[in-house]
Amino acid sequence: MRDDPSARHDAATWSPLDSDGWYAARDATTALRDALIRAGMEKDFPYLRADLNAFGHGLVELGRVSPDTAERLAELLRLALASGLRRLEESGEEPTGHREEGD
């Protein structure tokens, strides 16, 4: 198992592939990339990549984008939120505000 303490390597041989944080970041980056492709925005995020910080926590690097790209992304998020709230109202469910980790 990757994170088994008895199987850990010293700092000289550590690899991101030994980290659950790396896999979480990679999976999230893939999901975001797929959504950006569906929205026709994949070329607007040339710096999108999975990364790890110094503590081994996974991060998704979005990079710099143009103002037009930021506006378009904001509009997509507004539309998605409005659509989600509309579906919640129709089903009678309560909005939660944010997703819990692991959802």
Side-chain angles (χ1 to χ4, degrees), residues 5-100:
S6 64
R8 292 184 192 248
H9 302 286
D10 64 24
T13 61
W14 181 84
S15 164
L17 299 179
D18 296 330
S19 166
D20 286 336
W22 164 250
Y23 289 97
R26 185 195 62 182
D27 292 346
T29 300
T30 300
L32 182 55
R33 181 207 59 208
D34 292 347
L36 290 170
I37 288 170
R38 285 192 301 275
M41 297 180 68
E42 69 275 12
K43 292 183 179 167
D44 296 325
F45 289 84
Y47 302 105
L48 178 66
R49 66 185 179 98
D51 202 357
L52 287 176
N53 68 10
F55 302 103
H57 300 147
L59 299 170
V60 176
E61 175 70 40
L62 298 176
R64 296 183 297 183
V65 297
S66 71
D68 290 340
T69 296
E71 288 290 338
R72 186 165 176 215
L73 182 60
E75 182 60 22
L76 285 172
L77 290 171
R78 281 191 289 273
L79 291 170
L81 289 170
S83 174
L85 289 175
R86 206 172 317 113
R87 274 190 261 136
L88 283 175
E89 289 170 356
E90 291 169 0
S91 69
E93 294 180 41
E94 293 290 321
T96 60
H98 73 281
R99 286 182 38 185
E100 295 295 323

